[in-house]
Amino acid sequence: MSLISVEDALSRVLASVEKPVGVEHVSLVACAGRTLAHDVDALRDQPPFPASAMDGYAVRSADCTQVPATLRIIGTSAAGNRFSGSVGAKEAVRIFTGAPFPDGADAVILQEDTERSGDHVVVKEATRPNRHIRTAGLDFRAGDVLLQAGLRLDSRHIALAASMGHGALPVHRKPRVAILATGDELVRAGEPVGPDQISASSLPATILMVEKAGAEAIDLGIARDTLESLDERIQAAKDAGADILVTLGGASVGEHDLVQKALSRQGMDLGFWRVALRPGKPLMHGRLGSTLLLGLPGNPVSSLVCAVLFLIPAIRALLGDQKAAEDPTEDAILGADLPPNRDRQDYMRASLSLQDVPLSLTKPPERLMLPVATPHLLQDSSILSILERSDALLVRPPHAPAATAGEPCRIIRLGRFC
């Protein structure tokens, strides 16, 4: 099977997502990071009544055109405890921010523009109608659709939903993503390491990326390089109802790379294998019944790059995100000279700094702070220390010509995903 492009691979992965996962209603305090399944409209006006925007006195503006003016205080309106009467000529009501505005009045005089003496107040500044009043429905009206399906909810959305009158929201359930590391050379992080073994660094990293993306990670541990061990863990993914099964390593065709064979024995429909990218060429995609399969490379940097490019968009598609295929790159300035690229799309680990760049299209030229991406000299896909020091992936298309520092480039910020 020949190499396919990154764009083609992503298109095939997303096309294999049959439909978003199911919907559940979750209390507001548990909605952070969840994805809204349906549009949500307001159940009430906000504010539900005319309210004061300031502390002061509710008055009739006609009584305050000639100042100083002396008015009689007939009551108080506080938040949660309105004044039930009506304001007449030469009368005022002491009012506080957020309090319901009394009938008969049409303006608020700020308390610092008055002087009180007993049950009278002297108004020292003139006013006009509707001054310092929040009209009913100023923020929104009942029936207004304010939260749209596909939105990933944060504290701002939760605050708005509460104000709209909702105590729970319809969200997609978290997709279940089973993650299986493979290889006799691997041990769990923190466990004793034999003379020919290494810690399985990709496993905890992928779990955290999956959870940050809004899914539920199912840790299947480490399968040994036997078909029996792989069969056991693949069955565990089925039993867990995994929406996605992610394997780490073993997807190539070496003598000890048994993942494809084990999955094929269980009925895998292979979508593609091998993508024209660096790092991460031995990427596998398919389906096993209702479960989407992604076989990520074993090298830790390769697995992270492939997770950013393919696993995270697949999770977003399962969550009903209409922007799952959205290009994650952004503009930057190249910080070092680069030789021509070869036949694979390159994702180079890079550090970011800021540079003041003139915008020549404006007169006089304006200046814009743009990120400068400087790739690290070492790009071996096994070197995690350089990944830790990197802020972004510098993206170079296949067959890109030599590039000079200062030229435009495209980057993917790692902080969005890791």
Side-chain angles (χ1 to χ4, degrees):
M1 185 177 290
S2 61
L3 273 66
I4 65 173
S5 69
V6 172
E7 293 76 15
D8 188 14
L10 178 58
S11 177
R12 295 192 197 187
V13 169
L14 296 181
S16 70
V17 176
E18 296 176 343
K19 61 181 180 179
V21 293
V23 179
E24 57 187 7
H25 280 75
V26 175
S27 67
L28 292 186
V29 293
C31 275
R34 304 295 294 270
T35 301
L36 199 60
H38 306 300
D39 291 350
V40 176
D41 59 5
L43 302 179
R44 57 180 296 174
D45 295 348
Q46 179 61 24
F49 43 74
S52 177
M54 305 292 286
D55 290 348
Y57 293 87
V59 301
R60 300 185 342 146
S61 58
D63 293 333
C64 302
T65 56
Q66 300 292 324
V67 292
T70 301
L71 308 178
R72 184 170 64 91
I73 301 170
I74 61 172
T76 299
S77 186
N81 188 15
R82 70 170 62 228
F83 174 75
S84 59
S86 181
V87 178
K90 301 295 183 180
E91 293 179 338
V93 167
R94 180 71 167 109
I95 197 166
F96 298 93
T97 303
F101 203 74
D103 293 338
D106 66 356
V108 173
I109 299 291
L110 303 184
Q111 66 181 26
E112 54 264 38
D113 295 332
T114 66
E115 185 175 322
R116 182 167 180 169
S117 177
D119 61 356
H120 286 79
V121 61
V122 177
V123 177
K124 297 184 289 185
E125 294 287 337
T127 189
R128 54 178 171 78
N130 301 315
R131 184 68 170 164
H132 303 306
I133 300 174
R134 296 171 181 158
T135 58
L138 175 66
D139 195 351
F140 52 80
R141 293 285 187 179
D144 288 349
V145 176
L146 303 176
L147 299 172
Q148 285 74 39
L151 185 67
R152 188 167 184 187
L153 299 166
D154 61 24
S155 57
R156 299 168 300 163
H157 309 125
I158 302 307
L160 179 58
S163 186
M164 292 161 66
H166 295 277
L169 292 174
V171 297
H172 288 289
R173 68 164 175 83
K174 292 186 177 184
R176 292 182 285 270
V177 181
I179 304 164
L180 172 62
T182 67
D184 287 341
E185 76 280 13
L186 299 179
V187 297
R188 281 190 178 274
E191 293 183 356
V193 180
D196 300 321
Q197 292 182 309
I198 58 174
S199 292
S201 57
S202 296
L203 180 59
T206 305
I207 289 172
L208 291 177
M209 290 180 70
V210 162
E211 292 179 343
K212 184 172 182 177
E216 174 191 349
I218 302 170
D219 183 356
L220 295 181
I222 302 169
R224 296 304 157 200
D225 289 327
T226 67
L227 290 173
E228 292 75 19
S229 180
L230 286 165
D231 286 343
E232 177 186 348
R233 305 304 173 96
I234 293 168
Q235 186 59 50
K238 291 180 178 179
D239 293 342
D243 300 292
I244 303 177
L245 169 59
V246 178
T247 59
L248 304 173
S252 191
V253 290
E255 184 176 342
H256 298 284
D257 295 319
L258 301 175
V259 172
Q260 279 201 50
K261 185 174 182 179
L263 288 167
S264 295
R265 294 199 322 172
Q266 298 206 28
M268 175 183 67
D269 179 15
L270 181 64
F272 62 79
W273 173 64
R274 300 201 311 166
V275 180
L277 80 157
R278 181 188 306 106
K281 180 178 73 172
L283 175 78
M284 182 182 66
H285 161 259
R287 290 199 69 89
L288 187 62
S290 61
T291 302
L292 186 152
L293 300 174
L294 281 177
L296 306 189
N299 278 336
V301 178
S302 302
S303 64
L304 177 140
V305 169
C306 289
V308 168
L309 296 178
F310 305 105
L311 175 56
I312 303 305
I315 291 172
R316 291 175 62 186
L318 283 168
L319 287 168
D321 189 340
Q322 300 300 313
K323 297 181 180 179
E326 188 175 55
D327 181 4
T329 65
E330 62 181 85
D331 291 326
I333 301 296
L334 186 60
D337 296 345
L338 291 175
N341 194 22
R342 291 178 287 175
D343 58 350
R344 288 190 273 163
Q345 186 144 303
D346 211 350
Y347 294 86
M348 305 178 72
R349 281 154 285 170
S351 296
L352 297 182
S353 57
L354 287 177
Q355 178 175 311
D356 192 7
V357 179
L359 296 178
S360 58
L361 297 180
T362 62
K363 295 182 180 180
E366 297 178 358
R367 305 190 72 83
L368 177 68
M369 298 297 289
L370 282 180
V372 177
T374 304
H376 295 282
L377 293 177
L378 290 176
Q379 292 290 330
D380 186 285
S381 60
S382 67
I383 302 180
L384 279 171
S385 59
I386 290 178
L387 175 64
E388 188 275 331
R389 297 198 300 272
S390 299
D391 307 300
L393 298 173
L394 170 61
V395 184
R396 300 202 73 209
H399 307 294
T404 304
E407 292 184 10
C409 63
R410 302 290 289 176
I411 61 169
I412 299 174
R413 291 184 186 265
L414 290 171
R416 294 175 53 192
F417 307 98
C418 301

